[in-house]
Amino acid sequence: MIDIAGEKLSPEDYLSDVRPVWCPGCGHYFVLRALTQALAWLRIPNEQIGLVTGIGCSSRISAYVDAYGFHGVHGRALALGAGLKAVRPDMDVIVAGGDGDGYSIGGNHFLHACRRNMDLTYIVMDNEVYGMTKGQPSPTTEPDWQSKLAPEGTGIRRFNPLGIALASGASFIARGSAGDQKGLSRLIVEAIEHKGFSLVEIKTPCVTFRPEEKAWYKRMRKITIEPTDDMILAAQRIHGSDGFDTGIFYQADLPVFQPHFTEEKSIEDFEKEFEV
Amino acid sequence: MQSHSIQDRSVSVSVSGAGGSGAVTAGLILLKSMANAGYYGYMTRFSGPQIRGGESAVVLNFSDSPVERSARSSDIHFALDWHGFERFSDEIPLNSQSCVIFDNSHDALPDSVASTGAKIIEVNLKDQADQLKGSRPNAFAVGIVASQLGLPLNAVLEALEQILEKKGEEIFRAASEAVRTGYGLLEKKAAPLEQWKPVSHTRWNISGNEACALGALRASVKFAAAYPITPASDIVEYLAPRLEKYGGNVMIAEDELAAINMAIGGSFGGKPSMTATSGPGFSLMIEAMGLAIASEVPVLVINVMRGGPSTGLPTKSEQTDLNQALFGMHGEAPHVVVAPLDIADCVVTTQWAAGLAEHLQTLVVLLSDQRLGQSRAIIDAVPSQTFDLKRKILPVQDGKGSYLRYAVSPDSISPMAIPGNAAGRYTADGLEHTVSGKPSSMASDHLQQLKKREAKVTQFDYGRMWAEASFQQESTEIVVLTWGSVYHNAKAAVSELYHEGSPIALLGLRLLMPLQTEAIQALCKGKKVIVVEQSYSGQLYHYLKGQGAIDASALTLAKPGPLVLGSDEIKAFIKEAAND
């Protein structure tokens, strides 16, 4: 057993023996490191972690963490994670995926996961591109980015995950940078410890299809002010940001959805209702 | 009253009216009254496309023995008004033997009804209701119909009390007064019930959808996630207040994509899980159903079929999602498809289906349909039974072992680790995988896992549950093969022919996938086979032929919804086929 009281755990204690398919230099490696570091700091027993992902480069992360993982279908990780959490409130359920998985094909589930405010942690590795299908524009891609699929750019304004999470009822909203290991690990720790739906949107460069994103590492900066539970102030911070600010934009104590049950009835009670 | 009704001791009643007129409530009260009086009954309901303000109708068939099909025509029809009645002309057949009673305070008698030659009785319920504060015309109608049937007034008042229990003393008092008044309004005729033998044992008043839900509870399903859809919503609406008092939960999903994924998540977490939907929702769930198969997570999906394609006939019945349930998934996705044969069987088959999902660690689809699901009947209580079908679970141990989630075993079912068990950490995957669950696109892994997933489903012994065979004998020459809500009408047709001396047998299929081809062949080989189903294209017929379960010479009687495939129609078809 790894979890011997007092023994210091390391990120390696949370790594599986499956080697990532990610390209060399991919930002996702840093996210994997930050996540396993956060789990080591929190000393959560591996078997109490549920890591649920969808489809895409980043969604492969569920195979790389030594926990109970589920690599499901495209866009539905939040729903699967909600089902798991509903029946297993004892577990720490972490849902992870990319910008396409979460904000495009899974957009509806994102809205309702925020609104439901279950005690889930949602890690989005946002690289503003579909990497696994080799470089198509995603909801967070800038409108003038040129690609095979949109040679002149999409001309469509970008999806604002933090603003939408706030409007939809998420109770913890943060942005992190893959380039800031320690800061990111701390954010993930805060997100897991927060009671309610926590969004950690992580800017993580796709070095293959968006090599220019490597410049993010230098551009990302920390917001220095304390987290707020004031929605107006949070909205100002989110919408006033150029997208390179990292930190907790909003954290509030909101009602958490967690189904409860009792065992007060028997099958005979139900059968009696039909009797004539 | 029709003479045949008295002979075979059944009587049929229908009630129609504008939405909100209380036709359905009147039907529910009459059904319960019959139950209180010691009889059996079966009620189907029809409604126009409007939610309120449209028109609705109930068709009831009563008998002193179990009855689970509609009559050929209405012995008594009560029209609370004639609003939109022409829409029900097919569902409510009237003829010269029928007695039509109507409230003449609304529209005049339609020519189409007058021309049936039915006996017509006019009453003015508006006047009656005006004289009795708080009363509604449908309560008078219940009293009138009860008197014409010879139904004891006490049985009706008792039913009224049970149904209006929650609506308060005043409403009940007005309604019961209206029933009494209605009961004395018309002269009593020779009442058919006088010949009947009431029973005194406990029976159930239950709909097909409720029966499915009860079956799920009996199977210890502990988690259901669903999105509202007609005609399946009743299932989860039944479960919602009950499951949370029985160690489980119902979760409202944002759509069907979420519902099935939530159910898979709940099952992965260790709880037997299900969802319920109808055609359009079923289409949305298809991708994740494949995930349940690939990742070997048990899940039960109930599809209460309605007419399709697209939005189709949302409130009406058809058996046309069979092809999709069998072959809808992309890739090769072995799973189980079952279908209950009647309301009582909804309890048993759903319990069995949920158990199969758990035991085989795969997707089980249960196909019900609107007619079966939304019909309500007085049936004998369904005895509880046990199926020895449990999920094989990895024993809890400390420390990480060398757990192989998808290990190949003799029965191809590998123990499933439930989260929280340190020894069983793994990642369930919709990607093809190795025995450990590690993603792999190697040909050898794909072949191994394809074989495993197929073998566990096909090699399992489904026992006697796979079908109901009746009237079989050495001399059988004709076999009628059918499924689902058509079963009872087919059974009535076959039963009549059998008793008239025809060498005919009936086979109602409960297990549709994996098809028990050899068992079907054993019963059908060398016989004249007729496949009866509610579809236009003959989906079951082509499936059975394609699988080699029946010969090329087999005949098909396929009729699309929403009209019921009646026993007369089935009987006529068989007779003609037999003479060829």
Side-chain angles (χ1 to χ4, degrees), chain B residues 330-346:
Chain B
H330 60 269
E332 291 178 302
H335 61 287
V336 178
V337 181
V338 300
L341 297 166
D342 58 30
I343 292 176
D345 198 38
C346 283

Side-chain angles (χ1 to χ4, degrees), chain A residues 119-133:
Chain A
D119 189 13
L120 299 170
T121 301
Y122 187 32
I123 294 172
V124 182
M125 289 164 257
D126 185 356
N127 56 13
E128 303 180 4
V129 72
Y130 287 90
M132 192 149 263
T133 48

Side-chain angles (χ1 to χ4, degrees), chain A residues 205-224:
Chain A
C206 173
V207 294
T208 302
F209 298 104
R210 307 289 316 259
E212 69 280 11
E213 289 175 349
K214 280 187 268 187
W216 286 352
Y217 292 139
K218 284 188 182 149
R219 287 191 66 183
M220 302 295 285
R221 64 184 99 82
K222 276 193 179 101
I223 46 173
T224 46

Side-chain angles (χ1 to χ4, degrees), chain A residues 128 158 160 162 175 203 216 218-223 236-246 249:
Chain A
E128 303 180 4
R158 304 161 74 153
N160 184 330
L162 274 57
R175 185 190 290 122
K203 295 314 248 187
W216 286 352
K218 284 188 182 149
R219 287 191 66 183
M220 302 295 285
R221 64 184 99 82
K222 276 193 179 101
I223 46 173
Q236 282 170 350
R237 281 187 195 168
I238 289 167
H239 294 285
S241 169
D242 61 359
F244 293 100
D245 295 307
T246 65
F249 287 76

Side-chain angles (χ1 to χ4, degrees), chain A:
Chain A
M1 218 175 148
I2 301 163
D3 189 18
I4 297 163
E7 189 190 325
K8 202 176 160 194
L9 297 181
S10 77
E12 281 71 28
D13 293 321
Y14 291 90
L15 282 177
S16 78
D17 55 3
V18 182
R19 284 186 52 190
V21 292
W22 299 326
C23 308
C26 176
H28 299 348
Y29 285 104
F30 300 115
V31 179
L32 176 60
R33 184 81 190 171
L35 172 61
T36 47
Q37 177 64 72
L39 295 172
W41 281 342
L42 287 166
R43 303 178 59 84
I44 304 172
N46 301 58
E47 64 273 13
Q48 287 300 122
I49 302 163
L51 180 55
V52 182
T53 61
I55 295 295
C57 299
S58 57
S59 287
R60 289 295 193 108
I61 199 167
S62 51
Y64 310 146
V65 175
D66 181 8
Y68 276 89
F70 207 125
H71 183 221
V73 291
H74 198 20
R76 317 292 165 223
L78 281 170
L80 205 150
L84 175 58
K85 186 71 185 181
V87 306
R88 294 297 302 273
D90 59 306
M91 291 186 69
D92 281 297
V93 178
I94 300 165
V95 181
D99 38 313
D101 189 76
Y103 305 148
S104 192
I105 188 168
N108 193 34
H109 309 304
F110 178 55
L111 296 183
H112 292 277
C114 293
R115 184 174 76 87
R116 207 173 273 122
N117 195 38
M118 290 183 90
D119 189 13
L120 299 170
T121 301
Y122 187 32
I123 294 172
V124 182
M125 289 164 257
D126 185 356
N127 56 13
E128 303 180 4
V129 72
Y130 287 90
M132 192 149 263
T133 48
K134 304 197 192 302
Q136 295 81 18
S138 87
T140 48
T141 305
E142 53 277 39
D144 59 352
W145 184 69
Q146 297 174 352
S147 60
K148 270 193 204 165
L149 192 59
E152 309 297 325
T154 61
I156 302 169
R157 61 177 292 167
R158 304 161 74 153
F159 186 88
N160 184 330
L162 274 57
I164 287 160
L166 183 69
S168 306
S171 55
F172 179 103
I173 299 169
R175 185 190 290 122
S177 165
D180 173 19
Q181 282 286 286
K182 257 205 172 140
L184 185 54
S185 292
R186 281 199 200 104
L187 272 187
I188 293 172
V189 165
E190 299 257 13
I192 292 173
E193 291 199 312
H194 173 77
K195 290 279 166 259
F197 185 78
S198 312
L199 169 68
V200 185
E201 141 91 11
I202 303 166
K203 295 314 248 187
T204 156
C206 173
V207 294
T208 302
F209 298 104
R210 307 289 316 259
E212 69 280 11
E213 289 175 349
K214 280 187 268 187
W216 286 352
Y217 292 139
K218 284 188 182 149
R219 287 191 66 183
M220 302 295 285
R221 64 184 99 82
K222 276 193 179 101
I223 46 173
T224 46
I225 34 180
E226 285 293 296
T228 178
D229 62 359
D230 179 338
M231 280 188 87
I232 305 291
L233 188 57
Q236 282 170 350
R237 281 187 195 168
I238 289 167
H239 294 285
S241 169
D242 61 359
F244 293 100
D245 295 307
T246 65
I248 301 167
F249 287 76
Y250 177 71
Q251 184 170 11
D253 186 12
L254 298 177
V256 174
F257 177 78
Q258 179 61 51
H260 291 283
F261 59 77
T262 63
E263 308 263 7
E264 65 196 78
K265 293 274 186 183
S266 71
I267 199 81
E268 290 76 21
D269 294 329
F270 302 133
E271 288 170 358
K272 256 199 176 66
E273 295 174 33
F274 295 117
E275 286 182 2
V276 284

Side-chain angles (χ1 to χ4, degrees), chain B residues 147-202:
Chain B
S147 76
Q148 296 305 293
L149 292 170
L151 189 53
L153 184 60
N154 277 349
V156 187
L157 294 175
E158 197 187 324
L160 202 63
E161 193 169 6
Q162 291 158 343
I163 287 173
L164 298 180
E165 200 182 9
K166 286 178 190 140
K167 300 214 167 174
E169 184 66 22
E170 222 160 284
I171 287 178
F172 168 66
R173 206 174 307 138
S176 56
E177 213 34 60
V179 166
R180 276 177 211 278
T181 307
Y183 202 80
L185 218 49
L186 299 184
E187 188 197 339
K188 272 202 199 175
K189 294 281 152 148
L193 265 56
E194 283 166 9
Q195 314 276 333
W196 292 15
K197 295 187 185 77
V199 299
S200 56
H201 64 267
T202 302

